[in-house]
Amino acid sequence: MTQVTSAHGKADGSGLPQVPSIPLADDRAIAAGGEQSIGHLVKDATAHLSTLVRAEVELAKSEVTKEVKKGIKGSVFFIIALTVLLYSSFFLFFALAEMVADFGVLRSIAFGGVFLLMLAVSFLFTLLGMRKLKSLRAPERTISTVKDTAAALTHRGDTKS
């Protein structure tokens, strides 16, 4: 069995990790010609199929890991932007309270009113969030198919019909 890198791999090894692969030509098989038994051929085919499946899983895992890392790095910028927006909202509410005070309302009452408005908005969004969380359901189709697959695999060796 040989080790290969993906098309994106670099010679210095900084690309994707090496994954097992099936050689295109087996020197032993060519040398032996038609001398191999059916059992040996089935064993080789099974080994190659197992290697192929493991290689595909490893390739998918490495690609998904690479994409997830890029997604996390990109989301950091959104988190920073939301943090700045959250802290700058303080100035919005402060300005709103000052505007209410400019209309002749006592400053303490203006700031208290803005505080109550902020509490009401927070309560409203809390209720909306709880409503959405209550609507979450288990992935029933996935659970069903996993149970069916497990049942099929456990009954596979049974000879009783």
Side-chain angles (χ1 to χ4, degrees), residues 28 37-49:
R28 292 178 295 142
S37 67
I38 297 289
H40 189 267
L41 292 174
V42 169
K43 181 181 128 195
D44 282 349
T46 304
H48 287 313
L49 182 62

Side-chain angles (χ1 to χ4, degrees), residues 6 13 17 29 37 63 85 87 89 108 123 133 153 160:
S6 70
S37 67
E63 286 179 338
L85 180 66
Y87 283 117
S89 67
S108 59
F123 183 72
L133 287 177
L153 290 176
K160 298 176 186 176

Side-chain angles (χ1 to χ4, degrees), residues 1-4 6 16-22 47-65:
M1 204 149 329
T2 61
Q3 299 288 326
V4 296
S6 70
L16 292 175
Q18 291 187 345
V19 293
S21 67
I22 299 172
H48 287 313
L49 182 62
S50 173
T51 302
L52 180 64
V53 168
R54 279 187 270 130
E56 289 295 326
V57 168
E58 192 66 33
L59 178 63
K61 192 186 324 180
S62 67
E63 286 179 338
V64 167
T65 302

Side-chain angles (χ1 to χ4, degrees), residues 2 37 46 54 87 90 116 121 130-131 139-141 154 161:
T2 61
S37 67
T46 304
R54 279 187 270 130
Y87 283 117
F90 169 77
L116 291 177
V121 169
M130 289 174 59
R131 193 171 172 197
E140 295 167 4
R141 287 179 44 199
T154 55
S161 296

Side-chain angles (χ1 to χ4, degrees), residues 7-150:
H8 303 292
K10 297 182 178 74
D12 64 354
S14 63
L16 292 175
Q18 291 187 345
V19 293
S21 67
I22 299 172
L24 296 178
D26 188 4
D27 293 335
R28 292 178 295 142
I30 293 172
E35 298 174 16
Q36 294 183 346
S37 67
I38 297 289
H40 189 267
L41 292 174
V42 169
K43 181 181 128 195
D44 282 349
T46 304
H48 287 313
L49 182 62
S50 173
T51 302
L52 180 64
V53 168
R54 279 187 270 130
E56 289 295 326
V57 168
E58 192 66 33
L59 178 63
K61 192 186 324 180
S62 67
E63 286 179 338
V64 167
T65 302
K66 182 180 174 184
E67 293 302 315
V68 165
K69 285 181 181 178
K70 285 192 322 190
I72 289 172
K73 287 178 183 177
S75 66
V76 166
F77 294 113
F78 287 115
I79 292 170
I80 291 170
L82 287 174
T83 303
V84 170
L85 180 66
L86 178 69
Y87 283 117
S88 64
S89 67
F90 169 77
F91 295 105
L92 171 71
F93 293 117
F94 198 89
L96 181 64
E98 286 292 334
M99 185 180 70
V100 171
D102 286 343
F103 287 123
V105 179
L106 290 173
R107 288 175 67 98
S108 59
I109 294 175
F111 278 88
V114 169
F115 175 72
L116 291 177
L117 174 70
M118 291 170 63
L119 285 180
V121 169
S122 296
F123 183 72
L124 173 70
F125 280 114
T126 301
L127 288 178
L128 291 174
M130 289 174 59
R131 193 171 172 197
K132 280 291 184 187
L133 287 177
K134 284 183 181 178
S135 68
L136 290 177
R137 305 241 186 268
E140 295 167 4
R141 287 179 44 199
T142 303
I143 292 170
S144 172
T145 57
V146 167
K147 285 181 180 178
D148 291 344
T149 304

